[in-house]
Amino acid sequence: MSRFSTLNADLHCHSVVSDGTLTPEQLAERAKANGVHLWALTDHDELGGQQRARLAANALKMDYLAGVEISVTWMGQTIHIVGLGVDADHVGILEGLRRTREGRGNRAKLMAEQLLQVGIPGAYEGALHFAGNHDLISRTHFARFLVEQGVCRDTEQVFKNYLVEDKPGFVPHRWATLDDAVTWITAAGGVAVIAHPGRYKLNAMQMDELFKHFKDIGGLAIEVITGSHSPEQYLTYGKIAQQYGFLASRGSDFHDPNESHIDLGRLPHLPDHLTPVWSAFH
Ligand code: AMP
Ligand code: MN
Ligand code: MN
Ligand code: MN
């Protein structure tokens, strides 16, 4: 696989198997149309779309890495760890992800109860209606329901006024541990990547601890160019990658043509002084 930083790689996106709105096949076609050469589908806590994504990528002559985005609780915060190049049939990761998904149904019912208390009935059924995979009901599906109901203009407004800490519909949840997530990914032959580090509400000391601990347990990369980062954050996390010796990843985090700010493959290139995460795959 190419070692060049200018490769159009998009190594983070979501399908109907988690909280995206396109099928793996539709995503593959969209990625191809946007000039992507190396693609990974990284559904939340779920590898169920991998075979379809790989087949579609192969048919379109795109290189493909099996991927996943694992929900983790670390220092009381939710952080996301992307796994790239995993064996999607590996029993250890499949079992770990199954357990990680387990609490989602109950959490969704508790979220709906809270929304009912602020005068929004039917949110559980409403959100479930948007979920392509009933094992993976997420806040995104609730957000789409609230937009459909006219409670908010768009999903961005939802995540400002609902479903987040101190707002109606927020239910704290304990996801996988960081150590477990990295272990599952590594044991399945993949590379662990900290997703969108710029999004976490951690102070500088906590971030330092996160990067050091992640590295200690075998984490190899961080996302530098992502749809969740500002241009200023591209620079910040490029420096972090160099400072801690991480490989650098690039991914749009595309979910939906109307919701997502950045389309598949339509991101700035990785800065050429960084070592791309795809250099780890041959
Ligand atoms: P969950 O895994 O159920 O907690 O849902 C997390 C998902 O909600 C993320 O993967 C995003 O797709 C979406 N999300 C979280 N925060 C925001 C936000 N501020 N704006 C838009 N989408 C968000
Ligand atoms: Mn998502
Ligand atoms: Mn994420
Ligand atoms: Mn994502």
Side-chain angles (χ1 to χ4, degrees), residues 25-81:
E25 292 80 9
Q26 288 169 326
L27 287 168
E29 276 180 25
R30 194 173 181 102
K32 180 72 183 181
N34 288 351
V36 171
H37 284 279
L38 171 64
W39 178 49
L41 171 66
T42 55
D43 277 311
H44 296 285
D45 307 324
E46 175 65 90
L47 286 162
Q50 292 306 312
Q51 203 185 346
R52 288 170 65 184
R54 181 178 292 282
L55 280 174
N58 287 349
L60 294 164
K61 307 218 175 329
M62 269 188 302
D63 284 331
Y64 187 75
L65 290 172
V68 66
E69 181 176 21
I70 306 181
S71 311
V72 160
T73 302
W74 190 78
M75 285 202 176
Q77 288 254 350
T78 298
I79 70 164
H80 286 168
I81 301 296

Side-chain angles (χ1 to χ4, degrees), residues 12-14 42 44 69 80 196 253 255:
H12 189 151
C13 69
H14 300 273
T42 55
H44 296 285
E69 181 176 21
H80 286 168
H196 41 63
D253 208 355
H255 285 70

Side-chain angles (χ1 to χ4, degrees), residues 217-258:
I217 59 179
L220 290 181
I222 64 169
E223 287 184 347
V224 172
I225 305 291
T226 136
S228 298
H229 282 173
S230 64
E232 198 187 347
Q233 288 173 321
Y234 299 157
L235 296 175
T236 305
Y237 292 98
K239 282 188 196 137
I240 295 271
Q242 283 191 296
Q243 187 186 331
Y244 290 85
F246 286 129
L247 304 173
S249 193
R250 175 183 190 259
S252 57
D253 208 355
F254 180 82
H255 285 70
D256 171 81
N258 297 314

Side-chain angles (χ1 to χ4, degrees), residues 116-186:
L116 179 62
Q117 281 173 17
V118 296
I120 305 164
Y124 176 73
E125 294 74 18
L128 206 58
H129 174 76
F130 283 98
N133 173 1
H134 285 191
D135 286 345
L136 214 112
I137 183 163
S138 87
R139 285 186 294 157
T140 315
H141 303 117
F142 279 85
R144 292 185 186 131
F145 168 72
L146 293 177
V147 172
E148 180 197 56
Q149 294 297 297
V151 175
C152 292
R153 188 176 64 237
D154 53 33
T155 54
E156 206 171 312
Q157 285 303 311
V158 175
F159 283 105
K160 283 205 176 101
N161 300 296
Y162 295 89
L163 317 183
V164 292
E165 220 168 323
D166 301 323
K167 304 285 179 185
F170 179 73
V171 175
H173 193 75
R174 224 188 161 78
W175 301 107
T177 67
L178 180 61
D179 290 52
D180 278 349
V182 172
T183 301
W184 299 334
I185 291 166
T186 309

